[in-house]
């Protein structure tokens, strides 16, 4: 699924373009639902960010956060509270509730990431560069979703 070529050479500015990017992200991560039993994404839209939250019955969610200011995509793992998204952003009820996937990969020893590999942010702020960011996030998630699902209990330690 590609965006129309005319969108690729200028900055993201319109609601239609944001909607197209959000739809692209939902499409790119659809296998979380079809193959890994995550629920259809909850979509939360704010002025500077759109978040797609894929919740799983094992008490964890994978969030795809689209930052409209940075034209960047971030992947976070979320500890659910009673099957729902937590009230806080990084901390809820005195416990860590969100972690960036790249940090979890490093913490768990699932992959060694150096700064260059962790974030290949393009100097270009075109939609084409943004598409590439979505694809990198997709690859990172799909390469590690089996570990995330099978080891969800260790991602957020008991003391966090």
């Amino acid at each position: 699924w590609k965006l129309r070529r005319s969108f690729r050479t200028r900055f993201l500015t319109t609601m239609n373009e944001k909607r197209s990017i959000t739809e692209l992200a939902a499409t790119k991560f659809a296998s979380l639902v079809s193959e890994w039993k995550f629920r259809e994404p909850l979509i939360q839209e704010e002025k500077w960010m759109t978040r797609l939250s894929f919740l799983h019955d094992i008490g964890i969610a994978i969030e795809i956060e689209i930052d409209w200011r940075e034209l960047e995509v971030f992947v976070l793992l979320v500890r659910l509270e009673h099957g729902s998204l937590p009230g806080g952003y990084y901390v809820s009820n005195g416990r860590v509730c969100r972690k960036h996937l790249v940090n979890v990969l490093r913490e768990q020893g699932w992959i060694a990431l150096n700064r260059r590999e962790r974030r290949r942010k393009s100097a270009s702020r075109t939609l084409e560069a943004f598409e590439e960011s979505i694809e990198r996030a997709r690859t990172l998630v799909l390469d590690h979703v089996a570990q995330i699902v099978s080891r969800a209990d260790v991602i957020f330690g008991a003391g966090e």
Side-chain angles (χ1 to χ4, degrees), residues 114-150:
N114 65 38
R115 286 194 181 277
R116 174 178 270 170
E117 291 169 326
R118 282 177 48 191
R119 194 157 177 219
R120 292 186 189 112
K121 187 173 177 180
S122 172
S124 170
R125 291 179 52 96
T126 65
L127 289 180
E128 184 173 46
F130 200 52
E131 271 186 351
E132 291 168 6
S133 181
I134 291 171
E135 186 59 36
R136 283 192 309 275
R138 177 186 174 274
T139 299
L140 192 63
V141 168
L142 295 183
D143 283 353
H144 298 284
V145 68
Q147 291 166 304
I148 294 166
V149 170
S150 68

Side-chain angles (χ1 to χ4, degrees), residues 14 28 50 68 72 78 86 112 116 137-138 158:
T14 70
K28 291 285 188 178
T50 297
W68 302 117
E72 188 61 71
V78 183
R116 174 178 270 170
R138 177 186 174 274

Side-chain angles (χ1 to χ4, degrees), residues 17-159:
E17 291 167 328
K18 287 182 179 182
R19 190 174 304 115
S20 293
I21 288 289
T22 301
E23 289 172 4
L24 172 64
T27 300
K28 291 285 188 178
F29 290 93
S31 66
L32 291 176
V33 175
S34 63
E35 297 176 29
W36 292 97
K37 299 183 175 149
F38 284 83
R39 296 181 221 148
E40 290 291 330
L42 299 175
I43 300 174
Q44 183 179 18
E45 296 181 43
E46 296 178 16
K47 184 176 181 178
W48 299 110
M49 174 274 306
T50 297
R51 186 179 303 126
L52 291 82
S53 302
F54 295 86
L55 285 64
H56 199 288
D57 291 338
I58 60 174
I60 199 164
I62 295 175
E63 285 188 336
I64 312 306
E65 188 171 288
I66 304 168
D67 186 318
W68 302 117
R69 288 178 290 193
E70 298 292 325
L71 289 183
E72 188 61 71
V73 177
F74 300 97
V75 179
L76 297 103
L77 300 183
V78 183
R79 178 198 327 245
L80 300 180
E81 294 178 348
H82 309 291
S84 299
L85 292 171
Y89 187 75
Y90 281 121
V91 176
S92 182
N93 293 321
R95 297 169 46 177
V96 172
C97 61
R98 278 185 177 79
K99 292 183 176 184
H100 286 267
L101 177 58
V102 293
N103 294 337
V104 170
L105 297 177
R106 190 180 63 249
E107 288 169 8
Q108 298 299 322
W110 295 342
I111 190 170
L113 296 170
N114 65 38
R115 286 194 181 277
R116 174 178 270 170
E117 291 169 326
R118 282 177 48 191
R119 194 157 177 219
R120 292 186 189 112
K121 187 173 177 180
S122 172
S124 170
R125 291 179 52 96
T126 65
L127 289 180
E128 184 173 46
F130 200 52
E131 271 186 351
E132 291 168 6
S133 181
I134 291 171
E135 186 59 36
R136 283 192 309 275
R138 177 186 174 274
T139 299
L140 192 63
V141 168
L142 295 183
D143 283 353
H144 298 284
V145 68
Q147 291 166 304
I148 294 166
V149 170
S150 68
R151 302 297 311 254
D153 58 327
V154 301
I155 291 172
F156 294 96

